[in-house]
Amino acid sequence: MPLAAPTEVTATAVDTHCPYCALQCGMSLDGARVAPRDFPVNAGGLCQKGWTSGELLTSPSRLTTPLIRVDGELRPASWEQALDLVARRLTEIRAAKGADSVAVFGGGGLTNEKAYLLGKFARIALGTSQIDYNGRFCMSSAAAAGIKAFGADRGMPFPVTDLAGADAVLLIGANPAETMPPFTQHLRGADLIVVDPRRTATAELAGLHLQPAPGTDLALAQGILHAVVADGLLNKSYVDKRTNGFEELWRSVAAWWPERVEQMTGVSAADQRKVAAKLAAARNAYILTARGTEQHANGTAMVNAWINLALALGLPGREGSGFGCLTGQGNGQGGREHGQKADQLPGYRKIDDPAAREYVAGVWGVPAESLPGPGRSAVELLEALGTEDGPSALMVFGSNVVVSAPGAGRVQDKVSSLDFLVVSDLVLSETAAMADVVLPVTQWAEEDGTMTNLEGRILLRRKAIEPPSGARTDLYVLSELAKRLGQPDGRFPVDAETVFTELRQASKGGVADYSGITYDRLRDGEALYWPVPAETHPGTPRMFLDSFAHPDGRARFVPVDHVGPAELPDAEFPLQATTGRVLQHYQSGAQTRLVKELNDVVAEAFVEVHPDTAARAGLAEGDLAVVRSRRGETRARIRCVASLRPDLVFLPFHFPGEGRANLLTNPALDPTSRMPEFKVCAVALAPAEAAA
């Protein structure tokens, strides 16, 4: 397979941003040499992934020419051959089975320009409603909860640097010490309280660590809220002035006294009351959630329970305090705002809103009635692949679904059943290896584009080096395919700034209004947090200070109830498994596993187990184990962790093949967000030799 040539080194370092998580740390690139820079979110720091990110730019595993499957093997082809084949096959399949027979799957790491053009391409060039993205696995429950409570979703509606002034921070289901290490410097001055079933590196930094049973976060939130009210800590003036629905909420919380919650969660009533007292006594306090409390079949309700607690304490919409969610993927915020999600149009508009359809169609120059309606969410889309009324062809951009999706074994079978699979990627990921056509695309430092970080700030990620001669941008791919599918020349621009100018217009008047943002303003270093409704507008670093986004300007308490995990342990599967990240790897690991320094530290799948649990299964440190669920089994090396709950095992989700944690995970979906339940499923543990 063709290898990447050495990358051209620029004479002057270029200021840009890290290719990984949503912190989007500032860095400078001189060729492939990385140096941190003094940017607010990282203040000159980088994690190990950031420091080594330049290695991806010269990796011999880079794809440098299109690949077409011939007689079962992927073989090099020209761009013309590959694009012509893709256009022909998509046209044939659509003609035979209808527009929705072709699906598109995007990613939360795509730039705003790519996410925008991908949604436009699906709905105009393909005419399909079948588009969603891997952000459905990450932030959809937090987004849904935020919209219910506040009327709008911006993960952190305040700058990260505000956290440095906090007296207390409650962090639920997040491990930033490993997933985004530079973030933790903003927590140094706070009394940190961490809620996590595991004793993570972040929990080690906390003054108080609560270890609830997996899947019981909602009950814990109810118990702490009960203590707030019962102990006279309710911020009544804030509740009366800025919220609706407290009386109805209290009727649902009154029965959740801390002693009852202790029996369910394992967290003592005394600790629940201690959390309530600490947050209420703090002059400035924040409550932050992340995947640990969101990736559940009732994840939206879980997040709303923590928002209810924040509202009762008077935190949201008050400078120096607040509620926020830590976005994971690099463009997890922007990626869900501009149309690659099944139910959305640009600007965070709803695709079934007639006014939104009319406006966006006008920007695109097409009749509103020509736009399809809402499509299937990510898990439902993958489940429908190859079925009689589901898609027969799939285009994948910036995602590795056969590793990252829940029930990964079944997803792999579904992908195998397709008539046609196209993958755009910079390396031959596990999903790309299954494709009929692989399109080699540029990566982060080889192209311009904007990202929206976890605090809603729009960043310009600049081109720093030239890509390999055979690679093209995703924008090029979409533009060339659109022309071959009959779209007029110019409707799908290739230049990132031109696409962004159109995105600005398409987002104008929407919740996520980017219309006042220009590349020139970003080049000049302006700190622009959306909404930015005019070029003279300074941006909105802190949302909700004057009013919330509901028509009456008030936040809403949302009554919720604890229902527990979708799948409980039993005699056959007596343990519970949870998944997450490790410091050295990112997402499915398709990129970080290519970096020697990172892979040398964590080279294979492992499973953390309490020593007593391992011993009962006939296992010890370093043994190869089989972890089995109702959906499949994973092989992983035992790591004994004395601080882990005896009823819990932990697996990172970065590894392919038999080490895929998502062979185990449960695709049970949240009824509102359609997010799957990654964070808890019933499993059994055994020695690999016994299972062989």
Side-chain angles (χ1 to χ4, degrees):
M1 191 167 294
L3 302 181
T7 312
E8 179 182 325
V9 177
T10 57
T12 306
V14 175
D15 286 348
T16 187
H17 295 271
C18 181
Y20 294 117
C21 80
L23 201 57
Q24 285 295 286
C25 293
M27 60 169 55
S28 296
L29 267 180
D30 187 355
R33 293 188 292 274
V34 170
R37 62 187 174 94
D38 190 15
F39 191 71
V41 296
N42 61 305
L46 290 175
C47 75
Q48 190 177 13
K49 292 190 292 294
W51 274 111
T52 59
S53 58
E55 289 193 32
L56 289 171
L57 302 173
T58 55
S59 172
S61 297
R62 278 294 300 278
L63 294 171
T64 60
T65 190
L67 304 172
I68 291 176
R69 192 169 296 280
V70 179
D71 296 329
E73 294 185 2
L74 288 171
R75 298 180 181 175
S78 70
W79 271 98
E80 290 295 314
Q81 290 173 316
L83 292 171
D84 286 348
L85 174 59
V86 172
R88 176 172 60 81
R89 291 293 290 125
L90 295 182
T91 299
E92 291 170 351
I93 291 168
R94 290 171 67 228
K97 300 182 179 180
D100 278 356
S101 64
V102 177
V104 178
F105 201 95
L110 300 178
T111 64
N112 289 315
E113 292 81 359
K114 293 177 183 180
Y116 168 78
L117 210 66
L118 193 61
K120 180 182 177 183
F121 175 83
R123 289 165 179 122
I124 295 180
L126 295 175
T128 183
S129 67
Q130 301 300 292
I131 175 171
D132 212 80
Y133 79 126
N134 64 14
R136 184 76 72 168
F137 302 155
C138 298
M139 281 295 295
S140 53
S141 287
I147 290 168
K148 285 184 177 185
F150 307 131
D153 156 47
R154 200 179 87 188
M156 286 182 65
F158 46 81
V160 167
T161 50
D162 282 4
L163 295 170
D167 300 303
V169 173
L170 174 61
L171 192 59
I172 307 110
N175 185 20
E178 290 196 80
T179 60
M180 49 177 70
F183 178 87
T184 59
Q185 66 188 300
H186 303 290
L187 304 175
R188 288 174 184 159
D191 185 355
L192 181 62
I193 307 158
V194 170
V195 176
D196 199 306
R198 298 170 60 222
R199 183 75 178 175
T200 64
T202 305
E204 293 286 351
L205 304 175
L208 179 61
H209 174 210
L210 311 183
Q211 287 186 272
T216 64
D217 292 27
L218 192 154
L220 179 59
Q222 301 281 66
I224 298 170
L225 177 54
H226 188 288
V228 166
V229 179
D231 295 349
L233 304 175
L234 179 71
N235 190 330
K236 193 169 186 311
S237 63
Y238 174 97
V239 168
D240 291 343
K241 189 181 300 184
R242 302 209 59 189
T243 72
N244 286 329
F246 176 75
E247 293 304 322
E248 181 184 358
L249 173 77
W250 177 242
R251 285 195 290 272
S252 70
V253 175
W256 290 93
W257 55 92
E259 285 75 14
R260 177 192 176 197
V261 170
E262 177 179 345
Q263 294 178 348
M264 184 170 292
T265 66
V267 176
S268 72
D271 278 347
Q272 294 173 56
R273 293 191 172 95
K274 188 182 297 183
V275 172
K278 283 175 176 285
L279 293 174
R283 183 180 71 258
N284 295 315
Y286 291 87
I287 296 177
L288 305 175
T289 65
R291 305 302 81 72
T293 200
E294 296 160 15
Q295 289 179 325
H296 293 271
N298 64 333
T300 301
M302 281 194 180
V303 179
N304 274 125
W306 295 110
I307 293 176
N308 289 338
L309 174 61
L311 290 172
L313 292 163
L315 306 183
R318 181 162 65 84
E319 190 163 354
S321 294
F323 174 88
C325 300
L326 304 186
T327 307
Q329 293 192 76
N331 201 30
Q333 181 68 58
R336 67 183 184 269
E337 295 170 357
H338 297 300
Q340 67 171 331
K341 193 162 171 274
D343 57 353
Q344 282 182 359
L345 288 172
Y348 227 136
R349 291 178 165 92
K350 300 294 288 183
I351 199 168
D352 55 3
D353 176 357
R357 293 170 62 84
E358 194 70 38
Y359 177 78
V360 174
V363 174
W364 289 348
V366 299
E369 60 271 18
S370 71
L371 299 180
R376 295 178 174 95
S377 69
V379 171
E380 292 161 311
L381 175 58
L382 295 172
E383 178 63 25
L385 295 179
T387 62
E388 186 174 346
D389 63 346
S392 299
L394 177 66
M395 302 182 70
V396 179
F397 294 79
S399 191
N400 189 12
V401 294
V402 301
V403 176
S404 63
R410 182 165 177 80
V411 171
Q412 183 171 338
D413 291 342
K414 289 290 183 177
V415 171
S416 297
S417 73
L418 289 166
D419 293 339
F420 193 59
L421 173 65
V422 183
V423 176
S424 288
D425 212 329
L426 59 100
V427 296
L428 195 68
S429 70
E430 288 72 25
T431 305
M434 299 176 66
D436 297 290
V437 178
V438 181
L439 302 174
V441 292
T442 51
Q443 59 174 310
W444 61 290
E446 300 165 351
E447 59 187 10
D448 288 327
T450 60
M451 308 285 279
T452 305
N453 75 351
L454 79 172
E455 54 186 1
R457 179 174 174 173
I458 295 82
L459 308 170
L460 181 59
R461 206 164 64 178
R462 301 169 188 250
K463 180 177 179 178
I465 62 172
E466 291 299 321
S469 61
R472 302 287 187 271
T473 67
D474 288 297
L475 300 180
Y476 172 88
V477 170
L478 296 172
S479 178
E480 289 297 313
L481 286 176
K483 285 186 283 188
R484 285 167 169 79
L485 293 169
Q487 292 297 305
D489 196 16
R491 178 168 279 174
F492 289 83
V494 175
D495 175 68
E497 187 169 359
T498 303
V499 175
F500 189 78
T501 299
E502 185 181 306
L503 180 159
R504 292 172 53 205
Q505 184 62 28
S507 73
K508 187 176 180 63
V511 173
D513 190 333
Y514 283 36
S515 60
I517 304 167
T518 66
Y519 267 40
D520 283 342
R521 294 185 74 180
L522 296 175
R523 289 186 188 105
D524 288 343
E526 288 194 60
L528 298 173
Y529 303 76
W530 69 257
V532 190
E535 289 189 37
T536 56
H537 193 281
T540 314
R542 296 170 187 86
M543 297 179 73
F544 313 136
L545 294 182
D546 299 319
S547 67
F548 293 98
H550 289 300
D552 61 3
R554 290 170 166 259
R556 295 175 181 170
F557 284 98
V558 179
V560 292
D561 205 1
H562 172 71
V563 295
E567 182 178 78
L568 294 173
D570 57 20
E572 184 179 3
F573 301 100
L575 303 172
Q576 290 180 301
T578 191
T579 66
R581 297 177 181 171
V582 297
L583 172 62
Q584 288 76 21
H585 290 296
Y586 181 70
Q587 298 298 87
S588 71
Q591 296 176 52
T592 50
R593 285 185 270 113
L594 301 177
V595 178
K596 185 177 186 302
E597 180 179 326
L598 301 177
N599 212 49
D600 283 351
V601 179
V602 185
E604 64 177 347
F606 65 85
V607 54
E608 291 185 355
V609 185
H610 190 280
D612 292 346
T613 306
R616 282 196 296 272
L619 289 158
E621 179 77 20
D623 288 350
L624 187 63
V626 169
V627 188
R628 189 168 52 88
S629 80
R630 291 179 175 86
R631 288 154 295 281
E633 63 181 41
T634 296
R635 290 175 179 260
R637 195 71 59 183
I638 289 287
R639 288 189 182 182
C640 290
V641 179
S643 63
L644 200 66
R645 293 175 58 100
D647 57 355
L648 183 68
V649 302
F650 167 79
L651 301 99
F653 54 65
H654 311 293
F655 299 96
E658 292 183 332
R660 284 176 289 174
N662 283 315
L663 291 168
L664 308 173
T665 49
N666 190 352
L669 299 181
D670 180 282
T672 303
S673 69
R674 315 309 287 165
M675 175 183 272
E677 187 155 78
F678 284 107
K679 287 304 179 189
V680 58
C681 66
V683 298
L685 186 69
E689 296 78 9

